[in-house]
């Protein structure tokens, strides 16, 4: 499954979770909490995307260095990149470094989205507990209305 297909499936799942939860929002506090979760996730994603764009070249340089250290180890400590033999293929190095930083960026975005889902689930648990308590109270009241025996009139 390609990354874009997986992303589309995850997006559809998140949307279904959101819509299901929205059907159970009955109190103003629930709406505020839901909107706060959504706004926080949206802001964190925007911040991550902006940070990724702003620091792309710095991250690329760091990833190159990591790859070179893994590949050449001690040779890299004692010399400059140009002195290493056989010389690394710059284009292949850049492609691999770009893949690494994109994968890292994708992991961070996925973690933010998962955190959003976790917070929605916590909100849903609070709503379920409150609804169970309400249903219990309603059942108890109904039970007291159904008396057996003679009437007091």
């Amino acid at each position: 499954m390609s990354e874009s297909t997986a992303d589309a499936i995850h997006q559809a799942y998140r949307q279904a979770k959101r819509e299901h939860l929205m059907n159970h929002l009955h109190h103003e506090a629930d709406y505020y909490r839901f909107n706060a979760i959504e706004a926080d996730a949206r802001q964190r994603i925007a911040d991550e995307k902006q940070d990724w764009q702003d620091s792309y070249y710095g991250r690329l340089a760091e990833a190159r260095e990591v790859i070179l250290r893994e590949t050449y180890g001690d040779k890299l400590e004692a010399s400059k990149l140009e002195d290493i033999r056989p010389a690394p293929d710059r284009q292949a190095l850049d492609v691999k470094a770009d893949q690494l930083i994109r994968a890292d960026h994708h992991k961070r975005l996925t973690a933010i989205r998962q955190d959003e889902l976790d917070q929605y689930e916590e909100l849903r648990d609070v709503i379920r507990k409150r609804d169970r308590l309400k249903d219990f109270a309603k059942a108890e009241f109904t039970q007291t209305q159904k008396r057996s025996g003679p009437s007091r009139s």
Side-chain angles (χ1 to χ4, degrees), residues 25-116:
L25 300 176
H26 301 295
H27 293 86
E28 189 174 356
D30 297 340
Y31 284 104
Y32 284 127
R33 179 69 185 129
F34 178 85
N35 289 332
I37 292 168
E38 186 176 44
D40 180 57
R42 205 176 317 118
Q43 184 62 49
R44 289 172 55 200
I45 288 170
D47 290 347
E48 170 57 30
K49 287 179 178 180
Q50 186 64 48
D51 183 50
W52 188 79
Q53 286 178 346
D54 292 348
S55 63
Y56 174 79
Y57 293 105
R59 291 179 191 215
L60 191 64
E62 288 174 16
R64 276 190 213 114
E65 187 174 322
V66 167
I67 294 166
L68 289 171
R69 290 201 187 290
E70 288 173 356
T71 305
Y72 295 103
D74 295 338
K75 292 179 189 177
L76 190 60
E77 295 296 330
S79 61
K80 297 178 186 167
L81 181 59
E82 293 79 23
D83 297 337
I84 295 175
R85 296 288 176 242
D89 178 6
R90 284 280 215 193
Q91 188 174 2
L93 179 63
D94 284 348
V95 167
K96 190 171 182 181
D98 183 69
Q99 289 172 344
L100 284 176
I101 63 173
R102 286 182 188 279
D104 186 52
H105 174 62
H106 189 283
K107 283 182 201 173
R108 284 194 299 277
L109 290 175
T110 300
I112 292 168
R113 290 178 179 127
Q114 184 59 49
D115 184 50
E116 177 186 18

Side-chain angles (χ1 to χ4, degrees), residues 131-146:
D131 288 350
R132 267 190 253 130
L133 185 59
K134 183 178 74 175
D135 292 344
F136 175 76
K138 191 184 291 185
E140 287 296 311
F141 180 76
T142 303
Q143 186 64 30
T144 59
Q145 298 299 314
K146 297 179 183 177

